[in-house]
Amino acid sequence: MGFVSLGCPKALVDSERILTRLRAEGYEVAASYGKADLVIVNTCGFIDAAVDESLDAIGEALAENGKVIVTGCLGAQPQKILDRHPQVLKITGPQRYEEVVASVHQYLPPKHEPFLDLIPAQGVKLTPRHYAYLKISEGCNHRCSFCIIPSMRGDLVSRPIGEVMREAELLVRAGVKEILVVSQDTSAYGVDLKYAPQIWRDIERRTRFYDLAAALGELGVWIRLHYVYPYPHVDEVVGLMSDGRVLPYLDIPFQHASARILRLMKRPAAAVNTLERIAAWRRVAPDITIRSTFIVGFPGETDADFAELLDWLRVAQLDRVGCFEYSAVEGAAANGLRQAEVPSAVKQERRARFMELAAEISAQRLAQKIGRIMQVLVDRVEGDFAVARSSSDAPEIDGTVRIRGGGKLGVGAMPAVQITAAGAYDLEAKLQP
């Protein structure tokens, strides 16, 4: 069985769940199309570029293998797939694990009965052994005008806190040293369950963002929080960061700074004074790293709106920033806005200016770390260098710390290093004696 996993970390967790189930039934994962009897493609359908990538991946799998099952977010729009690739065997939507497994049974029946000891207790993971993603909920209650995730994945469905903590414990027992918490809206965790309590480690815990973060903080590993909205109760979790119980890192998709554009986007917390919140968080946890993503060129965005965004960024001094040019997504409410479209050339120019400013800010903030001693987590070794990450760096999306003389460190090692140099996004370091 071949497997192609596309999209965000939440989709990666879906892939892990499918693979865990199939491996438990005795299916092997092939390293190439030619060695596979069948290929599963877990797709992304969030923006046009992701749709194109998914359709290309399906086409490649069909050309190289011929037997393809499609799942994931793009599977919620089956006609779009069938128009391009009518020969696919089966199409299922996101989170349809049982349907995917049933489809595999149909086209590639298992050769023997399942043996649960064929897989480790924590399940099959597609990440390196030393870090793992922990998905705490599915879906989203927001209706941002540029997004179609709720139409694909539905409203918020939180996992009970006891279930989440049991999975987290299994990960730690398996050697995971960093848990990255993901969802569509991490700070809304438990709203749908009315914060129902459960017992974990003989203590009653509510199915709630703060309680979950506090419980995870008892596991003795790095806990990194992604996809957090700036609701007031986030302040409580920043206190946990100050105490060293979770990493001082918040991934918050602000998306813009103009109140007018945020209203057009129908963003939650659009009326919140985010600059005041950021300043308050830094007073509580001075070492906090704040990462965010932004959209430029949203319908109706004027030069004044964009200038306001740049001014906001200069004051906010965010540590890690990503920026996307707005791309219309089929089915998104933003398509019906009676606002002027921003020309493609203007979008490109605004993104370039935004990222230039973001790089300047990042370089200035990283330069302040020269001379500091910090603990890092090694991801890989390249010759005499170890490539690691600090508490400020999530895998694949943030910077790295290159450790000179770290060639003998093992992947997953967590040495103390001294920062010796800084660039726009990355740091250099030497091992502490």
Side-chain angles (χ1 to χ4, degrees):
M1 175 188 65
F3 206 104
V4 179
S5 184
L6 304 173
C8 65
K10 295 178 287 295
L12 186 73
V13 174
D14 291 343
S15 296
E16 291 173 342
R17 290 178 178 174
I18 294 168
L19 282 171
T20 295
R21 172 67 184 274
L22 292 173
R23 285 286 289 116
E25 296 186 359
Y27 289 92
E28 296 290 338
V29 180
S32 66
Y33 291 122
K35 294 180 179 180
D37 297 305
L38 176 150
V39 177
I40 300 170
V41 181
N42 190 7
T43 59
C44 179
F46 182 49
I47 59 175
D48 289 346
V51 171
D52 291 339
E53 180 186 22
S54 294
L55 291 173
D56 289 345
I58 295 168
E60 179 180 336
L62 284 168
E64 296 292 331
N65 182 276
K67 297 176 70 176
V68 177
I69 292 171
V70 179
T71 187
C73 286
L74 188 57
Q77 305 175 67
Q79 196 57 49
K80 185 171 291 187
I81 298 170
L82 292 172
D83 287 345
R84 178 86 71 88
H85 303 298
Q87 64 271 52
V88 296
L89 299 176
K90 182 75 174 181
I91 300 172
T92 74
Q95 305 149 230
R96 303 293 186 181
Y97 314 124
E98 296 300 326
E99 290 183 33
V100 175
V101 172
S103 299
V104 173
H105 290 169
Q106 179 181 351
Y107 295 102
L108 185 63
K111 295 181 179 179
H112 52 77
E113 291 299 314
F115 293 91
L116 293 179
D117 58 352
L118 288 176
I119 59 170
Q122 76 275 12
V124 174
K125 294 297 171 186
L126 298 177
T127 49
R129 184 183 177 190
H130 60 287
Y131 72 83
Y133 294 101
L134 179 66
K135 183 154 60 168
I136 62 173
S137 64
E138 299 282 3
C140 183
N141 287 341
H142 303 303
R143 296 296 183 265
C144 301
S145 62
F146 57 82
C147 182
I148 57 173
I149 292 296
S151 66
M152 293 179 173
R153 292 183 172 265
D155 289 335
L156 178 73
V157 179
S158 302
R159 299 173 62 194
I161 190 168
E163 176 185 316
V164 174
M165 291 309 304
R166 284 190 292 274
E167 180 179 348
E169 284 186 301
L170 289 173
L171 292 173
V172 174
R173 290 174 192 163
V176 166
K177 297 182 178 180
E178 177 184 15
I179 292 176
L180 300 101
V181 177
V182 295
S183 68
Q184 293 301 137
D185 181 359
T186 296
S187 41
Y189 173 67
V191 170
D192 56 307
L193 298 179
K194 298 181 179 180
Y195 309 119
Q198 288 194 334
I199 301 296
W200 180 72
R201 289 188 174 177
D202 299 323
I203 298 175
E204 185 176 89
R205 325 269 181 156
R206 299 176 69 197
T207 300
R208 178 173 172 261
F209 181 38
Y210 175 84
D211 295 58
L212 176 64
L216 290 169
E218 297 178 22
L219 296 176
V221 299
W222 280 8
I223 304 298
R224 193 180 300 277
L225 303 174
H226 286 276
Y227 311 108
V228 176
Y229 285 83
Y231 303 133
H233 65 271
V234 173
D235 298 355
E236 299 177 278
V237 176
V238 174
L240 296 176
M241 298 177 183
S242 178
D243 294 339
R245 297 170 67 180
V246 301
L247 289 181
Y249 180 101
L250 275 180
D251 173 15
I252 300 181
F254 289 116
Q255 304 296 14
H256 214 281
S258 163
R260 190 180 72 86
I261 295 299
L262 289 170
R263 284 193 296 271
L264 288 173
M265 290 179 170
K266 295 186 178 179
R267 292 293 290 163
V272 172
N273 188 326
T274 50
L275 291 176
E276 287 185 1
R277 300 295 300 287
I278 291 169
W281 294 335
R282 285 177 170 152
R283 286 193 294 270
V284 174
D287 290 333
I288 192 171
T289 294
I290 302 175
R291 111 166 309 277
S292 189
T293 52
F294 296 84
I295 298 172
V296 294
F298 190 79
E301 184 189 59
T302 64
D303 289 340
D305 292 319
F306 180 66
E308 184 177 353
L309 174 59
L310 293 183
D311 289 342
W312 183 93
L313 185 60
R314 290 187 184 97
V315 177
Q317 293 284 297
L318 298 188
D319 303 89
R320 304 295 192 190
V321 168
C323 183
F324 302 91
E325 298 169 24
Y326 174 75
S327 172
V329 178
E330 183 179 340
N335 299 339
L337 293 175
R338 296 181 179 179
Q339 299 291 327
E341 294 293 321
V342 178
S344 178
V346 175
K347 293 180 187 178
Q348 294 174 16
E349 185 263 346
R350 288 178 180 172
R351 181 182 182 278
R353 288 173 59 192
F354 182 92
M355 291 307 299
E356 182 180 5
L357 174 59
E360 291 174 6
I361 293 171
S362 176
Q364 293 167 5
R365 295 186 68 81
L366 289 180
Q368 297 172 11
K369 298 185 178 183
I370 295 175
R372 289 180 55 181
I373 296 172
M374 60 179 64
Q375 186 182 41
V376 296
L377 177 59
V378 175
D379 281 334
R380 63 184 186 277
V381 176
E382 298 176 350
D384 191 43
F385 287 86
V387 181
R389 292 178 290 109
S390 71
S391 63
S392 298
D393 307 303
E396 299 185 357
I397 58 174
D398 291 329
T400 60
V401 181
R402 288 180 59 84
I403 308 169
R404 184 179 296 276
K408 294 183 179 180
L409 292 171
V411 172
M414 301 186 75
V417 301
Q418 183 176 33
I419 305 303
T420 58
Y425 300 107
D426 304 315
L427 297 170
E428 296 181 14
K430 63 181 181 181
L431 288 168
Q432 277 295 98

